Amino acid sequence: MLELEQGIRVISFGMLCIFSPLIACIFTCSLDGPTMEATGLSELLILEDIAGRWAWDRENDDREGGDIRASEICDMVGGTGLGGFYAILFSLHMTISQVIESHKILQNALFSSEEWERKATSGCSAVLNTALARIIEETGASFDLDGPFLSKNTLKCFICVLNDLNARRARGLRNYRIRTSKPSRCSIREAIHATLADGVHLSPVCIQDEHFISASSGFANPSYELIKECAVLFSKGSKLACFVNLGAGHPGILPLTSGGTEEEQAKLLRDVEAVAQNLVALCSGLGPCYFRLSVTMGVESSFRWLRDESIRLVNSITAGYLGEEAVGACIDDIVDTLAKRHGVVLLERLGSLAAEDGKTKLNAQIEAVHDHVVDMKKAMDKDIFRSVKLWLTPIDQTTKLDACIRTRSSSTCDWLWDHTRIVEWRRHGGIFWLHAGMGTGKTIIMSRIVETLKTLPEECFVAYYYFEFTNPSTLSEEALFRSIVSQLSHYNETISKRLYELHGNGSFQPQLSALHTVLRDITTGAPFPVYIIIDALDELPASQRKYFLDTILKLSLLAEYGLHIMVTSREEIDVHEAFSGKVFLDFAIDHEMVHRDIVTFVDKELAVKKWQSWPQKEVLNMRNILIDKADGMFRVVACQIEVLQQTQTTEDMRLALASLPTTLSDTYLYVLNTIPSHLRTRAQTLLCILSVSFEPVSITELSALLAVELGDPTDPINLPVYREGLRYHEPENIIGLGTALVRRTKGKNNETALQLSHASVKEYLLQDAYHWCSSSDQIAHVATARACLALLIHNENQAQQSRPSDMEYTLSNWWRHISSNYSSQLLSQQMKLFEGFPWIHSAAGKQLMEK
């Protein structure tokens, strides 16, 4: 322990460096390497001059300033950002020359790397580690980067950092123990990464379950923190001999202004000089103990000159600063104080004054700086979050949810939310498998669950996904997890941001395993329950379901962290086997449960204007028959009502009611048989195309495709032919061809488009036992490919090209229908028909190779 008459000597490094979120925002956009040299390097050159004069005054010490170690002239060193990096190196017994060389190595490594330019955090971290290894090799330093930062070195080192989640209060990393805080159990490498982490180029560093970043924003001049730290660290009664605060920037206080220009941000950074001036006032009257040295390099007018200047100019400017008479006198006072080590003021008293002063004089200004930095960080995070959303390219789910909510009546599915099993699932988490037959309204029920969760008074995280047969892009596990992660990233932007950065800031796409990991991290770190609702698992192709089911079961183990998963589907064999005995709740919807909802649905549909003028006795009879024949299936009732909408007389309605089937398959057959015989061929073509279409098809393009005489899709001899006379003049009339089996939607260009109305329709049309459309999946693809190619050939032969809207689906998807069965003999025969059009074979081959 030092004698009481000997005072403590402290050196504090200011930050003005590139590693704060604010600085990185400016400098990476506008400036290059010399900025880092000009700011950080000047501090080291000042210290080198102080050390040189100190050695000159000593007897028999002919060393240059660069040969001196900081431990020889001070008892404690501390800093923020790049200043913290210097402090760490000095605590490892490096000479000033070695630290200057280390600075140059770091600067050259970072600013010559593409990773830094692209803000790729994983790449920047690797570059930093490589630079640190080079520093050890080229400077001859002898320390282990992965060794403990906590040590028994005589030179105390305090690094001012911030907790990533609480940027208002400075925290410290120490190479020593202190009674008021737990030891900093981290490696030297981690301490360096933490003081340089800006959240833009270098990610926050996790140390003892806390994430730390540079304190360069808000605590750019860490002098107050060091004074208070000294007051706690050294024994009661210890005195301060010398406190040297080194910085780089403008020596005056400039007003804080809003805005995002370089000059305004520069002024914000220069406000840190307020700390130095207040400390001068604080220490006045206490004796000569506080010294501030800061190079003024013209930055009060512009940063621009730094872009084109070399390190020689930095040396020249710093030398000019050190040659000023006032600066020389100040350094002489510092050297004299360092040599005598005479205690001037009690650290305990100075620490109290610093704490009080920090709360009064600087509170408003520091808060203003902090708030400005937080606003800028939020803006940066918002931009990154937007980039993450674009990068993940999630399939929009809100449109489907909104459509389902509009479809249902206000009281639909109320019975389910209060069901004891739902209550139990909400309490315990895990998988809730809700299953029922086709057409029982599972999608509406699922949408109701999502809507209710989003309006709960208690906090929870909600994500949802619809597998849709009408949109093949939704039918993959990857599409689901991209959407789920994108939705949940709204609640935890930090984790999704890290995923983005680990993939080169969107330079390459995440693997499925990476998406799984992010979802686990979001769930385990969520402060509230997480709900993931998945609809129509049975519409996911069976070849993919096995892997997806395995993933879902693994995720269900996170129930202890509050993860709730609801899956709706039909009771497919593979789904039943996977979930049997492994899900928290297995819930089958029976007819009685949905009866009340069907009654509500029928009443809503019969309340439309059409039925107001009909005899109410007949309407009531129709209502009762529809409800009795529904047998728990919304889809049956919906189709039957649509058929009844076409009737024009009471007698027609009675006949229709008498012949209404009770099963879904019979209902579809009944609907098909209502199509007039002279329109059936066109209806068959329409339903054939829609049963295998990869996206909704506009009615304008459908009118062109229906003008193709397909002939027999299996015919290996005759080409399909486009006939302009078969084209619909009013495409809206095509909608009537599909009756209740198709529905309107919006296409790519917001045009009216068609798709099958339900997955059960596609399944019915393509089943091998039924040949109303003379179709199977393979034949439907071949027939659609024939129609597309006939339209393309017609367009090729026309002097006047068709409008793009007439051909958009055809141009984008004709080859996909070919590739769906490219290896089949049938498809090979069909392709031979088009041998006279080599461009077709060339384009198909190219697309298949790309696929």
Side-chain angles (χ1 to χ4, degrees):
M1 187 62 62
L2 292 169
E3 295 180 9
L4 294 186
E5 290 303 315
Q6 287 189 321
I8 308 301
R9 303 164 301 176
V10 181
I11 296 179
S12 170
F13 291 98
M15 73 35 107
L16 265 183
C17 68
I18 150 166
F19 294 99
S20 74
L22 183 59
I23 302 292
C25 175
I26 302 168
F27 290 178
T28 52
C29 295
S30 308
L31 311 174
D32 55 17
T35 297
M36 179 177 170
E37 295 173 18
T39 57
L41 182 57
S42 64
E43 298 177 3
L44 296 175
L45 295 176
I46 293 171
L47 182 61
E48 183 181 35
D49 188 79
I50 293 172
R53 298 194 195 191
W54 173 82
W56 176 266
D57 285 351
R58 286 162 53 89
E59 291 184 8
N60 302 320
D61 193 342
D62 57 357
R63 290 178 296 172
E64 299 291 336
D67 299 328
I68 308 299
R69 291 177 170 82
S71 57
E72 297 180 66
I73 59 175
C74 66
D75 304 292
M76 184 171 190
V77 63
T80 295
L82 190 58
F85 173 63
Y86 300 154
I88 293 172
L89 296 186
F90 282 129
S91 74
L92 298 170
H93 302 299
M94 293 182 74
T95 65
I96 296 174
S97 292
Q98 286 177 315
V99 176
I100 290 175
E101 183 62 26
S102 299
H103 171 97
K104 295 176 183 177
I105 293 171
L106 181 65
Q107 183 265 327
N108 290 331
L110 289 181
F111 294 109
S112 63
S113 69
E114 293 182 2
E115 286 81 0
W116 186 268
E117 187 70 25
R118 292 189 293 108
K119 303 179 185 178
T121 52
S122 58
C124 289
S125 181
V127 171
L128 175 57
N129 284 327
T130 301
L132 294 177
R134 281 190 58 202
I135 286 171
I136 294 176
E137 179 182 354
E138 296 185 20
T139 64
S142 58
F143 58 86
D144 181 6
L145 280 169
D146 296 313
F149 180 52
L150 187 67
S151 70
K152 295 182 179 180
N153 292 343
T154 55
L155 181 61
K156 309 302 182 186
C157 178
F158 176 82
I159 308 303
C160 190
V161 292
L162 297 176
N163 184 301
D164 190 26
L165 300 177
N166 180 14
R168 289 187 178 274
R169 188 167 69 89
R171 302 288 296 277
L173 295 178
R174 308 167 177 86
N175 70 345
Y176 52 87
R177 297 178 184 272
I178 191 170
R179 62 179 181 275
T180 58
S181 180
K182 62 183 180 181
S184 301
R185 299 193 181 281
C186 63
S187 66
I188 295 170
R189 187 193 306 275
E190 287 172 329
I192 292 174
H193 275 259
T195 191
L196 299 181
D198 63 349
V200 176
H201 300 88
L202 298 168
S203 297
V205 178
C206 184
I207 299 174
Q208 294 176 273
D209 298 326
E210 288 189 86
H211 288 86
F212 292 103
I213 59 173
S214 169
S216 298
S217 296
F219 297 91
N221 186 334
S223 297
Y224 275 106
E225 284 61 45
L226 260 73
I227 289 174
K228 290 182 285 187
E229 184 76 10
C230 287
V232 176
L233 172 62
F234 296 102
S235 64
K236 190 173 183 180
S238 295
K239 293 182 179 181
L240 177 69
C242 182
F243 191 105
V244 181
N245 180 204
L246 300 179
H250 190 271
I253 302 174
L254 293 169
L256 181 68
T257 58
S258 61
T261 66
E262 276 185 15
E263 178 58 21
E264 289 170 331
Q265 293 170 0
K267 290 178 181 179
L268 172 65
L269 296 176
R270 293 194 293 269
D271 277 340
V272 302
E273 191 68 25
V275 176
Q277 290 199 12
N278 278 282
L279 276 171
V280 170
L282 179 70
C283 296
S284 64
L286 299 179
C289 62
Y290 175 77
F291 302 92
R292 167 72 170 173
L293 292 169
S294 177
V295 178
T296 303
M297 294 183 293
V299 294
E300 67 273 18
S301 59
S302 175
F303 276 79
R304 188 170 303 280
W305 70 270
L306 293 172
R307 299 181 183 177
D308 303 316
E309 302 300 335
S310 69
I311 192 171
R312 290 192 299 274
L313 182 56
V314 178
N315 288 329
S316 175
I317 291 174
T318 306
Y321 171 74
L322 294 173
E324 294 177 10
E325 185 176 349
V327 174
C330 179
I331 292 178
D332 286 339
D333 290 340
I334 292 173
V335 171
D336 184 59
T337 305
L338 289 174
K340 292 179 178 178
R341 294 193 65 177
H342 177 69
V344 176
V345 60
L346 284 170
L347 278 170
E348 188 177 13
R349 180 186 177 193
L350 187 58
S352 299
L353 289 173
E356 181 180 350
D357 192 58
K359 291 178 181 177
T360 54
K361 293 183 179 179
L362 292 181
N363 187 63
Q365 190 167 24
I366 290 177
E367 284 294 310
V369 172
H370 174 271
D371 290 343
H372 193 103
V373 171
V374 167
D375 288 343
M376 291 190 65
K377 190 173 186 299
K378 284 181 179 178
M380 292 167 63
D381 287 344
K382 185 176 181 180
D383 288 341
I384 293 176
F385 180 62
R386 190 182 298 114
S387 298
V388 172
K389 297 278 282 188
L390 291 172
W391 173 60
L392 287 174
T393 57
I395 297 170
D396 175 56
Q397 299 294 307
T398 57
T399 302
K400 175 76 172 181
L401 177 64
D402 292 344
C404 291
I405 290 174
R406 287 196 303 270
T407 300
R408 74 170 190 86
S409 300
S410 59
S411 60
T412 302
C413 310
D414 284 350
W415 56 271
L416 179 61
W417 187 249
D418 296 324
H419 197 282
T420 54
R421 291 196 172 186
I422 288 286
V423 173
E424 192 176 355
W425 171 65
R426 288 180 59 196
R427 183 181 300 118
H428 297 286
I431 296 178
F432 188 108
W433 179 34
L434 190 151
H435 53 90
M438 186 74 82
T440 50
K442 297 184 295 297
T443 298
I444 299 297
I445 292 172
M446 172 267 200
S447 301
R448 171 61 169 158
I449 293 291
V450 172
E451 180 188 23
T452 304
L453 286 170
K454 283 179 169 288
T455 56
L456 286 177
E458 60 265 29
E459 290 278 359
C460 63
F461 298 166
V462 183
Y464 56 96
Y465 191 82
Y466 297 90
F467 286 116
E468 295 184 84
F469 80 99
T470 55
N471 185 357
S473 62
T474 68
L475 302 180
S476 74
E477 181 180 350
E478 181 179 352
L480 178 141
F481 279 104
R482 280 176 176 269
S483 178
I484 295 297
V485 168
S486 177
Q487 292 176 61
L488 292 179
S489 64
H490 172 73
Y491 302 108
N492 192 329
E493 297 179 6
T494 301
I495 293 177
S496 57
K497 176 184 169 185
R498 286 178 192 160
L499 174 69
Y500 180 66
E501 292 168 342
L502 286 171
H503 290 78
N505 282 352
S507 299
F508 52 98
Q509 292 299 313
Q511 294 184 343
L512 194 55
S513 59
L515 295 172
H516 293 166
T517 299
V518 168
L519 181 55
R520 290 191 189 95
D521 291 345
I522 292 175
T523 300
T524 54
F528 306 110
V530 177
Y531 289 86
I532 298 175
I533 317 297
I534 302 169
D535 181 54
L537 174 59
D538 51 293
E539 294 186 24
L540 183 67
S543 59
Q544 296 188 48
R545 278 205 300 264
K546 178 181 182 304
Y547 304 103
F548 179 70
L549 288 166
D550 290 343
T551 302
I552 287 294
L553 289 171
K554 290 176 183 176
L555 287 175
S556 69
L557 300 177
L558 300 176
E560 62 180 297
Y561 294 98
L563 179 61
H564 302 67
I565 302 174
M566 176 177 283
V567 178
T568 73
S569 75
R570 288 181 294 172
E571 195 171 355
E572 299 286 358
I573 295 175
D574 59 336
V575 180
H576 180 272
E577 289 178 350
F579 282 166
S580 181
K582 297 177 183 176
V583 297
F584 179 72
L585 284 172
D586 177 342
F587 187 69
I589 302 174
D590 60 39
H591 298 169
E592 291 300 320
M593 292 177 180
V594 297
H595 176 76
R596 188 174 67 181
D597 290 342
I598 289 178
V599 171
T600 302
F601 174 73
V602 171
D603 288 342
K604 178 183 176 182
E605 293 297 312
L606 297 186
V608 298
K609 185 176 179 180
K610 172 182 173 66
W611 304 111
Q612 300 302 311
S613 60
W614 286 58
Q616 291 306 296
K617 181 179 178 181
E618 296 294 339
V619 174
L620 180 60
N621 181 58
M622 176 172 58
R623 171 188 182 273
N624 294 334
I625 292 175
L626 286 170
I627 292 171
D628 290 342
K629 288 190 174 184
D631 198 28
M633 288 186 288
F634 276 92
R635 186 73 196 133
V636 168
V637 177
C639 289
Q640 292 174 348
I641 290 176
E642 190 156 340
V643 169
L644 290 168
Q645 289 277 7
Q646 308 305 315
T647 60
Q648 302 299 321
T649 67
T650 301
E651 191 61 32
D652 288 344
M653 183 183 72
R654 288 173 180 170
L655 290 173
L657 284 170
S659 59
L660 286 179
T662 56
T663 67
L664 194 57
S665 294
D666 289 343
T667 299
Y668 288 155
L669 180 59
Y670 178 86
V671 170
L672 290 170
N673 287 334
T674 63
I675 298 173
S677 57
H678 69 284
L679 296 176
R680 285 196 177 185
T681 300
R682 293 178 196 168
Q684 287 172 346
T685 303
L686 173 67
L687 294 172
C688 176
I689 291 172
L690 294 182
S691 67
V692 292
S693 64
F694 295 102
E695 59 192 60
V697 187
S698 73
I699 56 175
T700 304
E701 188 161 1
L702 282 170
S703 71
L705 291 170
L706 293 180
V708 176
E709 285 188 339
L710 286 175
D712 183 354
T714 63
D715 186 352
I717 299 175
N718 297 314
L719 276 170
V721 179
Y722 174 87
R723 299 196 183 281
E724 185 66 31
L726 296 178
R727 186 165 183 156
Y728 275 67
H729 294 294
E730 298 179 19
E732 282 282 340
N733 292 333
I734 293 175
I735 299 173
L737 281 176
T739 62
L741 303 185
V742 303
R743 65 180 176 88
R744 293 171 179 261
T745 187
K746 291 295 183 182
K748 283 184 176 179
N749 299 317
N750 216 31
E751 285 190 305
T752 299
L754 294 184
Q755 60 185 186
L756 295 183
S757 57
H758 197 265
S760 58
V761 177
K762 177 176 181 176
E763 185 175 281
Y764 179 71
L765 292 175
L766 297 181
Q767 61 183 344
D768 293 335
Y770 179 67
H771 297 290
W772 190 90
C773 287
S774 300
S775 184
S776 64
D777 181 77
Q778 184 185 89
I779 293 176
H781 275 295
V782 170
T784 304
R786 284 168 63 96
C788 290
L789 289 170
L791 187 58
L792 285 170
I793 292 169
H794 169 74
N795 185 72
E796 184 80 4
N797 294 334
Q798 298 301 304
Q800 180 66 39
Q801 299 292 307
S802 298
R803 298 193 322 272
S805 60
D806 292 355
M807 301 285 291
E808 186 161 338
Y809 180 85
T810 299
L811 289 169
S812 301
N813 295 289
W814 67 271
W815 67 271
R816 296 178 69 185
H817 291 291
I818 290 175
S819 64
S820 295
N821 293 281
Y822 192 74
S823 61
S824 71
Q825 181 179 1
L826 176 61
L827 206 290
S828 299
Q829 292 173 346
Q830 295 298 314
M831 289 299 290
K832 287 181 181 179
L833 296 176
F834 298 93
E835 286 182 348
F837 306 92
W839 61 269
I840 291 178
H841 288 267
S842 175
K846 179 181 178 182
Q847 296 283 6
L848 289 168
M849 288 177 65
E850 290 179 354
K851 182 183 179 187

